[in-house]
Amino acid sequence: MNLIENIKLAFASLKSNKMRALLTMLGIIIGVSSVIMINTLGSIMENSVTDTFDSQGGSNLIGFQITMKKDAARDYLMPDDFISEEMIESVEQRFADDINVVSVMYGSENGTTRHKRETLDLVIYGVSPGYIKQSMTEVIAGRYINDKDIRKGGKVCAISNKQAIKLYGSVKDAIGQTLSIKMYGSMYDFTVVGVYEYRMTGMMSAMVNAMGEDWNNEVYIPYTTLSEMYGETDPTFYYFYVHINDGVDAESFASDVKNYMNNRYYRNNDSIEIFYQTAEAQMSMMSQVLGVVSMVISVIAGISLVVGGIGVMNIMLVSVTERTREIGVRKALGAPNSAIRSQFIIESIIICLIGGLIGIIFGVLLGNLIGIIVGTMASPSVGAILLAVSFSMAIGIFFGYYPANRAAKLDPIEALRYE
Amino acid sequence: MNRPIIDMKGIFKRFYIGTPNELEILHGLDISVPEGQFVSIVGASGSGKSTLMNIVGALDRQTEGKYVLDGIDVSKLDDTELSGIRNKKIGFVFQTFNLISRTSALKNVELPMLYAGVPAKERTKRAKELLEIVEMTDRASHMPNELSGGQKQRIAIARAMANDPAIILADEPTGALDSKTGRLVMDLFHKLHKEKGKTIVLITHNPELAEETDRIITLSDGRIISDRMTDKEAAE
Ligand SMILES: Nc1ncnc2c1ncn2[C@@H]1O[C@H](COP(=O)(O)OP(=O)(O)OP(=O)(O)O)[C@@H](O)[C@H]1O
Ligand SMILES: [Mg+2]
């Protein structure tokens, strides 16, 4: 008895009971589609997490910020608690060999500008020159905020390529233009010195694109300029970032800086100290979360595959019983036990394979549906599809074997007498 | 006389062996059927005709005794070899037709050839020839549930002939048919007997049909109480 005949037979038998076949496949469909969906989502997320990680400076980025001591005497902040420019400068000098650049973001403020009778919303960030390293942006024309701007507290700014095109027609034409920004009810004139563009891929860029204008309306100005507008002559910070040189050990550098700052500036502070977080640590936390999520879903998928397999076994047992007489006739006509066995195993495999294929289609569709929402199309890996297909086949064989063997071992006379 | 194609000596069949209700159904039968003979087996219900037929058809094994089928000692064969014997040497015709449902008449006829490993093209060609013999060519693509009882039985006979078996075994093949249709089926057996020289063993409750065959073996409670050639054979 050859394979093609068995496959035809299996399809004929499934066709005669379509509804039952579909219900039987349900467990397999759910199991396989969730596996494929997880795989699709997993690759979307992983890509975007590593993209973000890399575009922010990768493992060379360390964040320092103030935090409450364990035995804090207060639960509110005082002006002296904040990180001062002086502190950052002393860190820069003390660890000059290890530091590539330090970056701060003093604060952000909402503002507006008028353009052809339209009022455009802007978000103004007061930053240091190093901030570009972690802002996932790249200067495509002119320059970014520089040290001279910081010293002078100059009224200069960098705008996004989308803003440049919208306001001035092109990226090139934006340089040197004056951007009038309304903040706190007063007008300030800024000179556009640079145009930046987001450089992101995967989910992050999808999110940025989805938010469109809102994300591209960030205007970067020197932090000294912003603090002056606030009326604060000595700007202070809640946190700052350090990009270390390649080859410097992030962990030991970070703890050295922390200890240095705590000894020197926070020893007598009753409530506040410095703490740090390396990008590596953040990253591993993210991947841990992702790992747990996909573990949980995989377990669910696995359970539904096993339940699906038991469903297939159940239906195959019913099918064997229903066709007892047919089995008897086949044996009387000379079918060896092996032919009967393979007939039913192949039927079981076909059920599982069809279920698996429907599952793959569903999984890809669902994964892409979510992909469309976050803006990236994704397809599951070939490996995942092969795994799903071979897993469905394995389930078909495993759970089909017992019923098929039962059919094969039926006594031909008893089978023929079966009513 | 030709050499015996069925050669049985001291065949016993017991059920529930080793239990208190052990049951002996066949009590040591000796039967020898030469090639080309048309034999009928008659007897009251429960006399053991079907039990005997199952042993002759290699569907079942005797508890005791020796059975040589077409020169092969069947008791020495394993299950797979027995299925090979059923496939190539035996053609079964059942009272209830037993066509495979949802499978066309043609595919039903092809089935024994499928298990014999005959290539698809050849299978279809031969199946068509067989349908022609039983005059069912126009029903080749019909499903069993679209056929009458007599038509089903003719398909079943074509199927029994598929691998050109040594023996055709028919257990009350006309039992579920009216007398006119039964007649047609009976004529078909005569045709196969005369034209193809087939050895046929027929179980029947109809004495008139039995008289049409070469030889009548009468069973009663698992024993042969009469084994005679019919007048027709004697006349020849
Ligand atoms: N598997 C079995 N287990 C126990 N007893 C059986 C079995 N098969 C047959 N018998 C018994 O053997 C006896 C003969 O049965 P068999 O079917 O051979 O009779 P038969 O002559 O073909 O009858 P009928 O003309 O009604 O078909 C019956 O009493 C039956 O109950
Ligand atoms: Mg009987």
Side-chain angles (χ1 to χ4, degrees), chain A residues 1-2 5 8 12-13 16 323 325-326 329-337 339-340 343 411-413 416, chain B residues 51 54 59-60 79-80 83-84 86-87 92 94 96 98 100-103 107-108 111-112 114-115 120 123 159:
Chain A
M1 185 82 163
N2 60 49
E5 291 297 332
K8 278 190 199 158
S13 139
S16 71
R323 284 146 75 184
R325 211 182 160 85
E326 177 192 319
V329 174
R330 287 180 184 275
K331 289 195 158 191
L333 297 179
N337 293 357
I340 303 290
Q343 177 188 339
D411 180 62
I413 298 164
L416 275 169
Chain B
T51 306
N54 288 339
L59 271 173
D60 201 0
D79 279 358
T80 310
S83 57
R86 291 197 292 273
N87 187 232
F92 283 99
F94 305 92
T96 50
N98 280 335
I100 306 285
S101 55
R102 298 187 298 267
T103 307
K107 288 280 172 199
N108 260 286
L111 206 55
L114 195 68
Y115 291 123
R123 238 159 40 207
R159 185 177 67 183

Side-chain angles (χ1 to χ4, degrees), chain B residues 76 103 139 149 227:
Chain B
K76 294 205 173 87
T103 307
R139 303 294 164 128
D227 184 352

Side-chain angles (χ1 to χ4, degrees), chain B residues 117-163:
Chain B
V118 177
K121 255 195 198 146
E122 214 179 307
R123 238 159 40 207
T124 313
K125 184 170 162 269
R126 172 140 175 85
K128 282 182 176 157
E129 287 167 9
L130 288 164
L131 286 178
E132 214 172 295
I133 295 174
V134 299
E135 290 164 25
M136 289 294 291
T137 305
D138 52 338
R139 303 294 164 128
S141 58
H142 284 227
M143 297 293 157
N145 60 355
E146 301 163 348
L147 299 170
S148 74
Q151 288 169 333
K152 281 187 208 173
Q153 197 61 302
R154 280 192 275 164
I155 302 291
I157 292 169
R159 185 177 67 183
M161 294 286 292
N163 285 330

Side-chain angles (χ1 to χ4, degrees), chain A residues 417, chain B residues 15-16 25 44-51 172 205:
Chain A
R417 284 179 174 204
Chain B
F15 291 106
Y16 313 119
I25 301 297
S45 195
S47 56
K49 304 183 295 292
S50 296
T51 306
E172 297 183 51
H205 282 284

Side-chain angles (χ1 to χ4, degrees), chain A residues 1-18:
Chain A
M1 185 82 163
N2 60 49
L3 190 66
I4 297 161
E5 291 297 332
N6 270 326
I7 291 171
K8 278 190 199 158
L9 216 64
F11 273 103
S13 139
L14 293 183
K15 244 170 52 194
S16 71
N17 230 325
K18 291 193 196 81

Side-chain angles (χ1 to χ4, degrees), chain A residues 249-265:
Chain A
D249 181 60
E251 198 61 43
S252 67
F253 169 83
S255 79
D256 286 351
V257 171
K258 182 188 118 174
N259 291 336
Y260 171 77
M261 289 182 77
N262 280 336
N263 281 332
R264 190 152 174 191
Y265 302 103

